[in-house]
Amino acid sequence: MDPWEDRWQVGDTPWDHGKAAPPLLEYLERESLEGRVLVPGCGSGHEVRALAKHGAEVVGMDIAPTAIKVASSHSPSNGEVYELENFLSLPARHHGKFDCLVEHTCFCAIDPAEREDYVKAAHQALKPHGKFFGIFFIDVPDPEHEGPPFMSSLRELSNFFDPYFHTVEAWRPNRVFEERKDCLEQVRLMVRR
């Protein structure tokens, strides 16, 4: 069985705060992420429903069947859908089909050795000039920390994403989960090259 499915089955999901990420909600109060949106590693779907409430056509994707079951059990906001898929092996039917991708806790959850696969899958999923909205945990990687989550340095993010995406804006969010108030998070709005 997949280790993520194991964690969902026993309720070991400390990343699930019962609501959408505050940096995303903060952004949606002033801007929109329109069109067809993909949320990889969607978990119980909080970000998916928040985006759907703001008018986006959203697909939430997760590798864990129980996560998809939990996400699907919530009342739909606006026709969002959930798919059981491995984002790192993005199905061809999703290549070039999304206007936007929203990242929150998927990039930091995967093995760092798979990060290039993640970035390539994100690039594949988006239409030309599609937007990538990412909330990243920033820290100097600690070789003693076994993770997940696996933190990223600003340099590492640039090394991975710059060949495939142009960063339009990067900022530290004003609102974060209470449990993360002492962590450094960075939001990046990027555009597919």
Side-chain angles (χ1 to χ4, degrees):
M1 190 179 294
D2 179 77
W4 292 107
E5 175 61 11
D6 291 345
R7 292 186 72 171
W8 275 97
Q9 287 206 2
V10 298
D12 181 19
T13 58
W15 58 85
D16 189 332
H17 295 275
K19 59 186 175 184
L24 174 62
L25 297 176
E26 179 181 29
Y27 184 80
L28 291 174
E29 286 176 5
R30 65 179 198 273
E31 300 288 340
S32 64
L33 294 171
E34 299 172 337
R36 195 156 189 253
V37 180
L38 176 62
V39 181
C42 69
S44 53
H46 303 300
E47 285 76 26
V48 173
R49 288 185 295 281
L51 289 157
K53 282 181 185 174
H54 283 84
E57 178 188 341
V58 193
V59 175
M61 187 178 286
D62 206 287
I63 197 169
T66 300
I68 295 298
K69 183 178 177 182
V70 170
S72 300
S73 71
H74 291 270
S75 297
S77 297
N78 194 26
E80 64 273 13
V81 296
Y82 298 97
E83 294 187 11
L84 179 64
E85 294 285 354
N86 181 349
F87 174 68
L88 301 180
S89 302
L90 189 71
R93 72 179 184 280
H94 287 313
H95 290 191
K97 301 296 183 185
F98 293 93
D99 300 291
C100 183
L101 184 145
V102 172
E103 158 60 34
H104 177 241
T105 71
C106 186
F107 188 79
C108 72
I110 61 173
D111 185 312
E114 297 177 309
R115 287 183 168 172
E116 188 166 350
D117 293 336
Y118 174 100
V119 174
K120 287 178 179 177
H123 189 263
Q124 284 178 329
L126 289 168
K127 296 175 182 176
H129 309 293
K131 293 180 183 177
F132 183 110
F133 179 92
I135 303 167
F136 296 100
F137 297 104
I138 304 301
D139 202 355
V140 176
D142 177 2
E144 302 298 318
H145 178 74
E146 294 181 17
F150 301 102
M151 303 298 182
S152 303
S153 68
L154 293 174
R155 176 175 294 212
E156 180 183 22
L157 288 177
S158 293
N159 287 343
F160 278 117
F161 285 95
D162 286 358
Y164 300 94
F165 295 90
H166 166 71
T167 300
V168 175
E169 190 178 0
W171 67 94
R172 183 160 184 183
N174 294 316
R175 291 187 228 152
V176 297
F177 287 119
E178 182 63 26
E179 299 84 0
R180 296 185 192 156
K181 66 179 178 156
D182 295 327
C183 298
L184 178 59
E185 290 182 316
Q186 185 185 68
V187 180
R188 285 192 179 194
L189 180 62
M190 299 181 277
V191 173
R192 180 189 185 274
R193 291 188 190 275

